[in-house]
Amino acid sequence: GRPPLRNEAFSGDQLQRQSEDQTDYVHRHKTWFDFDGAADQLGLTQLYNWYGDDFVQVSGSGVSFAANYSGALRKKLERGSPPAVRWIPYSWQLNVLPNRIPR
């Protein structure tokens, strides 16, 4: 599903660095990001789909935002040929019944 929690608290004076670290982490793992230039396919986490307006606001599109973290994708976009996007299935495993806290 979503990226793992940090082993430190987010803090005001470190928030920008911590957020950037988390974003970079996500774009280095196929669970959330998978660009195959040869196949012209870009796999993005469903979070890009669900929060698409946020990425549009920041970078014009989710694909453009992701390109900030992938040189190969950035070069592809600079050539004027965006890849086909597929949504990587989101894991709801944490929310399944066996993981519920007993009442």
Side-chain angles (χ1 to χ4, degrees):
R2 64 164 187 72
L5 296 174
R6 296 179 67 85
N7 61 0
E8 66 181 359
F10 283 94
S11 63
D13 62 331
Q14 297 294 314
L15 187 58
Q16 186 64 36
R17 179 191 59 79
Q18 291 169 320
S19 296
E20 187 64 30
D21 287 349
Q22 286 297 104
T23 305
D24 184 58
Y25 178 88
V26 164
H27 291 89
R28 288 185 282 117
H29 292 83
K30 290 186 181 276
T31 303
W32 305 286
F33 175 83
D34 183 21
F35 177 56
D36 182 347
D40 201 29
Q41 285 281 321
L42 173 61
L44 292 175
T45 173
Q46 284 282 355
L47 297 171
Y48 271 98
N49 189 19
W50 298 332
Y51 299 100
D53 290 345
D54 295 337
F55 296 106
V56 168
Q57 232 179 350
V58 172
S59 294
S61 73
V63 175
S64 293
F65 182 86
N68 292 318
Y69 299 90
S70 169
L73 177 56
R74 185 172 39 252
K75 288 178 185 173
K76 178 85 173 151
L77 294 179
E78 287 169 356
R79 289 192 298 267
S81 55
V85 175
R86 69 173 173 77
W87 301 115
I88 297 171
Y90 190 86
S91 172
W92 294 97
Q93 188 62 37
L94 183 63
N95 296 325
V96 296
L97 285 176
N99 289 328
R100 283 197 176 165
I101 297 173
R103 294 180 194 243

